[in-house]
Amino acid sequence: MKIGELARLAGTNVETIRYYERDGLLPVPARSEGNYRIYGDSHVQRLSFIRRCRGLVMTLDEIRVLLHFKESPQENCADVNRLLDRHIGHVAHRMQELQELERQLKDLRERCGEARDAAHCGILDGLSQAFVPGGKTASHVQGTHRHAANRNLAKGNQGNQV
Amino acid sequence: MKIGELARLAGTNVETIRYYERDGLLPVPARSEGNYRIYGDSHVQRLSFIRRCRGLVMTLDEIRVLLHFKESPQENCADVNRLLDRHIGHVAHRMQELQELERQLKDLRERCGEARDAAHCGILDGLSQAFVPGGKTASHVQGTHRHAANRNLAKGNQGNQV
DNA sequence: TAGAAACCCTTGAGTGACTACAGAGTCAAG
DNA sequence: CTTGACTCTGTAGTCACTCAAGGGTTTCTA
């Protein structure tokens, strides 16, 4: 099959497939006479695996580790477990941060019930004072502002994220 | 004061300040004889405002709107309220996504209790099957994977996020 | 069989909000 | 006068794509 069909089957778009190939996540496929990439079932499997992992907001590097284990069935999978545990930790951590963030934002929102002139807006006042903005962040799960073009995965944003 | 002191006072780093200047968030400051940027209290105020907003995971564009209102005290602040409401919505949405994500990851993790060979790892098995990876994402709040160098704000990642 | 439409190719740039680095200049202390 | 801390500009890198230009190939329809 050609790249367009692979894209449809795996729910990706074509540029992403070519990007994964450049990035070494997908093997370089055969080419047709007209220089078109030619794929088979194994590519569908592998790409689907990658997209499912991305749907779980793993980084491409994490996915690389998982792919390595898929290809080395005799190895011990303890690293897979560790990777997933760490990833779950990231997600949990990010959720805590967001909860704190939500609390702060709601606090702030309550400072200005109705519209008035900006000089007396409680929100702007609040933002001008030094309330403490939580702590540090060290996870990799992202994505609240995302405007367009997310086709069918929980990408959240262009980086990777939990 | 010079840029280093401003950075310390506002809890930013120096490159970020220059970046904000290029990006139009901070006014172009005066220069010393030796071509050093010279800042005053108003810069500290403004930069701190920006960093507090960033701590609440607002985008630089959102912050630009807020700065505009701070500078136009006679205008009606209804847009400020709207902006914050939308932002809170983004955060809430992202939290729901993360909850779903956590559920899926924990499901997956339970498939492989202890280490064995990768050929029989329930996690790799699970990732190879077609469980549905949630829905689309359209927020802008990010950040679970973030590895280093987050100094003192809830950045989460390099994009912006809720 | 011609032409159009749909598909594919490569290359390069753009996204957001920084971060890092190279190579040079400035300044204060010892 | 040297050392080291600080600053300057400019450029490239981050992450995971996404988009567009400018061309070639294949397939469908008239």
Side-chain angles (χ1 to χ4, degrees):
Chain A
M1 77 192 74
K2 287 182 285 180
I3 199 167
E5 193 181 346
L6 175 60
R8 266 191 305 282
L9 288 176
T12 325
N13 70 33
V14 164
E15 290 90 347
T16 303
I17 296 175
R18 289 196 280 247
Y19 170 75
Y20 286 165
E21 181 186 326
R22 274 199 307 285
D23 206 42
L25 281 163
L26 287 176
V28 177
R31 295 285 182 135
S32 73
E33 285 198 8
N35 198 33
Y36 286 9
R37 290 171 177 83
I38 301 299
Y39 297 98
D41 281 353
S42 70
H43 294 93
V44 181
Q45 296 305 310
R46 190 173 173 105
L47 181 55
S48 301
F49 182 90
I50 295 169
R51 294 311 284 172
R52 274 194 292 276
C53 292
R54 285 293 296 140
L56 297 174
V57 201
M58 296 176 188
T59 63
L60 297 188
D61 276 346
E62 287 173 331
I63 296 169
R64 246 180 281 275
V65 173
L66 296 180
L67 285 169
H68 164 80
F69 278 98
K70 269 182 72 97
E71 281 164 1
S72 313
Q74 78 293 350
E75 281 189 46
N76 187 287
C77 76
D79 281 353
V80 173
N81 298 7
R82 247 195 305 281
L83 190 152
L84 203 59
D85 284 338
R86 221 179 311 130
H87 192 63
I88 290 170
H90 287 154
V91 175
H93 182 229
R94 184 59 180 157
M95 284 206 330
Q96 283 185 5
E97 287 174 359
L98 286 184
Q99 268 162 23
E100 169 66 10
L101 183 55
E102 188 179 38
R103 197 188 59 67
Q104 287 182 14
L105 287 170
K106 285 185 172 166
D107 273 10
L108 195 59
R109 181 61 180 88
E110 277 177 20
R111 288 161 160 271
C112 183
E114 75 275 10
R116 62 196 81 171
D117 56 327
H120 303 97
C121 175
I123 293 174
L124 291 177
D125 274 11
L127 283 168
S128 300
Q129 287 159 29
F131 68 94
V132 228
K136 307 143 196 280
T137 300
S139 37
H140 80 157
V141 181
Q142 319 176 325
T144 295
H145 286 295
R146 202 85 294 257
H147 335 75
N150 294 15
R151 301 211 313 156
N152 43 18
L153 268 188
K155 287 177 207 160
N157 65 315
Q158 66 284 74
N160 47 65
Q161 48 217 235
V162 171
Chain B
M1 77 191 75
K2 287 182 285 181
I3 199 168
E5 193 181 347
L6 175 61
R8 265 190 305 283
L9 287 176
T12 325
N13 71 34
V14 164
E15 289 91 346
T16 304
I17 295 175
R18 289 196 279 247
Y19 170 75
Y20 286 165
E21 181 184 327
R22 273 200 307 286
D23 207 42
L25 281 163
L26 287 176
V28 177
R31 295 285 181 136
S32 72
E33 284 198 10
N35 198 33
Y36 286 8
R37 290 170 176 83
I38 302 298
Y39 297 99
D41 282 353
S42 70
H43 294 93
V44 180
Q45 297 304 312
R46 192 174 173 102
L47 180 55
S48 301
F49 182 90
I50 295 170
R51 295 310 285 173
R52 275 194 292 276
C53 293
R54 285 294 295 139
L56 298 174
V57 202
M58 295 176 188
T59 63
L60 296 187
D61 277 347
E62 286 172 334
I63 296 169
R64 247 180 281 274
V65 173
L66 296 179
L67 285 168
H68 164 80
F69 278 98
K70 269 183 72 99
E71 280 163 2
S72 312
Q74 77 295 349
E75 281 190 47
N76 187 287
C77 76
D79 281 353
V80 173
N81 297 8
R82 247 195 304 283
L83 189 152
L84 203 59
D85 284 337
R86 224 180 310 130
H87 192 64
I88 290 170
H90 287 154
V91 175
H93 183 228
R94 184 59 182 157
M95 282 205 333
Q96 283 186 5
E97 288 174 357
L98 286 184
Q99 270 161 22
E100 169 65 12
L101 183 55
E102 187 180 36
R103 197 188 58 67
Q104 287 183 15
L105 287 170
K106 286 186 171 165
D107 274 9
L108 195 59
R109 182 60 181 89
E110 278 178 18
R111 288 162 159 271
C112 184
E114 73 275 11
R116 61 195 82 171
D117 56 327
H120 303 97
C121 175
I123 293 173
L124 291 176
D125 273 12
L127 285 168
S128 301
Q129 287 159 30
F131 67 95
V132 230
K136 307 143 197 283
T137 300
S139 37
H140 81 157
V141 180
Q142 317 177 325
T144 292
H145 286 294
R146 202 82 294 259
H147 335 75
N150 294 15
R151 301 210 315 158
N152 42 17
L153 268 187
K155 287 173 204 160
N157 65 315
Q158 66 285 74
N160 46 67
Q161 46 216 235
V162 170

